[in-house]
């Protein structure tokens, strides 16, 4: 693994659905260039990767508005500031770089290079209240995720005691169909009595994709020897 550099420049071509970030070093060489979904977890993952490249990161974006609001707030929450490079400046600077036609990756590179060569761009001030609100929402989201994990673990613990075959049949952390099935048929006997056609109808009526496969898997789990808690 290469040693972190002293400083790098990160240019971000911001968009409504996704951004593209490119990172260059003191020579203009590209160190990092990736698409980033405009989503908190995706941005945080990219932020961690870019910050690991150097001790000092100079950030530059081409949009200071709604499209980049989440990105800028997350940067501010991590003690980072960005400068605003106007789109018209990016367009003018693009002519100085040979290469492929206009793409998000190329624009991000030009933004990073423009910020590397010029230091007269204005910093973007993120309102303190926005940063505070984001921190509150992020903490709430983390609590919800932790609650879901605890509930899933508790459900699996209970199933291991009363219906271990079904507990082993699904990944309850991300399988909606398995959870819906349990709301109506939580025991081997109830699943066997229902039969495949009617068992399929239960999750299907509740907008579960692949309801027949869920029913088939549950029937296989319920058709073996009577489940008993393992000793």
């Amino acid at each position: 693994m290469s040693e972190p550099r002293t400083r790098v420049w990160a240019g971000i071509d911001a968009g409504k659905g996704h951004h593209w970030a490119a990172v260059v070093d003191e020579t203009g060489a590209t160190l990092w260039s990736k698409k980033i979904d405009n989503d908190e977890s995706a941005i945080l993952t990219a932020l961690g990767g870019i910050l690991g490249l150097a001790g000092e990161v100079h950030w530059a974006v081409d949009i200071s508005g709604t499209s980049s609001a989440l990105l800028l707030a997350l940067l501010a929450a991590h003690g980072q500031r960005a400068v605003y490079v106007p789109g018209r400046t990016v367009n003018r600077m693009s002519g100085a770089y040979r290469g492929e036609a206009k793409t998000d990756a190329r624009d991000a590179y030009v933004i990073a290079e423009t910020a590397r060569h010029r230091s007269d761009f204005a910093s973007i001030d993120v309102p303190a209240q926005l940063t505070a609100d984001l921190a509150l929402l992020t903490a709430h989201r983390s609590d919800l995720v932790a609650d879901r994990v605890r509930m899933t673990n508790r459900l699996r613990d209970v199933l291991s005691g009363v219906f271990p075959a079904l507990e082993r049949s699904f990944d309850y952390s991300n399988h909606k169909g398995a959870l819906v099935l349990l709301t109506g048929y939580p025991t081997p006997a109830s699943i066997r009595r229902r039969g495949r056609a009617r068992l399929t109808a239960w999750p299907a009526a509740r907008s579960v994709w692949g309801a027949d496969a869920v029913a088939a898997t549950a029937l296989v789990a319920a058709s073996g020897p009577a489940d008993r808690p393992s000793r």
Side-chain angles (χ1 to χ4, degrees):
M1 179 180 289
S2 60
E3 290 294 324
R5 291 159 174 78
T6 302
R7 60 178 176 170
V8 295
W9 289 260
I12 300 176
D13 180 41
K16 184 177 181 180
H18 71 271
H19 313 304
W20 197 288
V23 181
V24 300
D25 63 12
E26 294 91 340
T27 68
T30 301
L31 304 178
W32 199 94
S33 182
K34 292 182 181 180
K35 176 182 175 181
I36 307 169
D37 289 335
N38 193 11
D39 170 80
E40 179 190 344
S41 59
I43 293 173
L44 288 175
T45 298
L47 179 61
I50 294 173
L51 289 176
L53 295 175
E56 182 180 351
V57 180
H58 297 272
W59 301 86
V61 300
D62 65 338
I63 294 178
S64 176
T66 303
S67 298
S68 60
L70 177 60
L71 168 69
L72 293 172
L74 288 170
L75 286 175
H78 287 76
Q80 305 293 304
R81 299 192 69 177
V83 298
Y84 171 56
V85 179
R88 62 181 180 276
T89 301
V90 177
N91 291 334
R92 286 200 302 268
M93 291 294 293
S94 294
Y97 298 93
R98 295 181 179 179
E100 59 188 9
K102 176 180 172 63
T103 63
D104 291 347
R106 185 169 187 270
D107 284 349
Y109 172 78
V110 172
I111 293 168
E113 273 289 88
T114 302
R116 182 173 73 90
H117 287 290
R118 292 177 53 176
S119 59
D120 58 337
F121 294 113
S123 296
I124 301 173
D125 292 323
V126 178
Q129 186 59 48
L130 177 60
T131 304
D133 289 345
L134 177 64
L136 182 63
L137 289 173
T138 300
H140 180 59
R141 179 177 179 275
S142 297
D143 288 342
L144 292 177
V145 171
D147 287 343
R148 179 181 175 84
V149 170
R150 283 193 293 270
M151 290 174 63
T152 300
N153 289 340
R154 176 57 180 159
L155 171 64
R156 297 190 64 177
D157 184 58
V158 172
L159 276 177
S160 293
V162 299
F163 199 170
L166 190 64
E167 188 276 329
R168 294 189 297 269
S169 298
F170 296 105
D171 177 5
Y172 292 93
S173 62
N174 57 19
H175 201 305
K176 175 185 175 182
L179 296 174
V180 170
L181 179 75
L182 286 174
T183 64
Y185 307 97
T187 65
S190 63
I191 290 175
R192 288 194 294 268
R193 284 196 304 266
R194 190 67 174 173
R196 181 162 178 170
R198 290 189 297 168
L199 197 63
T200 299
W202 178 266
R206 290 156 180 81
S207 304
V208 169
W209 181 84
D212 185 64
V214 172
T217 300
L219 281 169
V220 170
S223 62
D227 281 298
R228 296 183 178 86
S230 58
R231 296 182 181 277

